[in-house]
């Protein structure tokens, strides 16, 4: 992963967290968003060597 890809991933994680904070989103959108958010965080943790 390049530095640019890393920064893009961080940006997506932050934007996802901001989206998920919205109390007006539908439960199914929240669930879908959380799954994507979790996947992105897992990618980041693997890149940083914090998980395998």
């Amino acid at each position: 992963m390049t530095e640019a890809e890393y920064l893009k991933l961080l940006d997506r994680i932050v934007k996802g967290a901001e989206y998920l904070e919205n109390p007006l989103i539908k439960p199914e959108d929240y669930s879908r968003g959380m799954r994507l958010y979790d996947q992105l965080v897992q990618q980041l943790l693997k890149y940083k060597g914090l998980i395998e």
Side-chain angles (χ1 to χ4, degrees):
M1 178 180 292
T2 66
E3 184 72 16
E5 291 170 330
Y6 171 72
L7 293 174
K8 184 177 178 181
L9 181 59
L10 280 178
D11 187 54
R12 287 186 70 195
I13 290 170
V14 170
K15 286 181 181 179
E18 290 170 348
Y19 172 76
L20 292 169
E21 284 183 311
N22 182 350
L24 301 177
I25 61 174
K26 297 176 185 174
E28 59 270 11
D29 291 338
Y30 181 84
S31 294
R32 191 173 349 154
M34 275 305 296
R35 281 194 302 276
L36 177 58
Y37 179 84
D38 288 341
Q39 290 172 358
L40 295 173
V41 170
Q42 291 297 312
Q43 287 178 22
L44 181 71
L45 293 174
K46 285 180 184 176
Y47 172 72
K48 287 297 202 177
L50 299 173
I51 62 170
E52 291 185 19

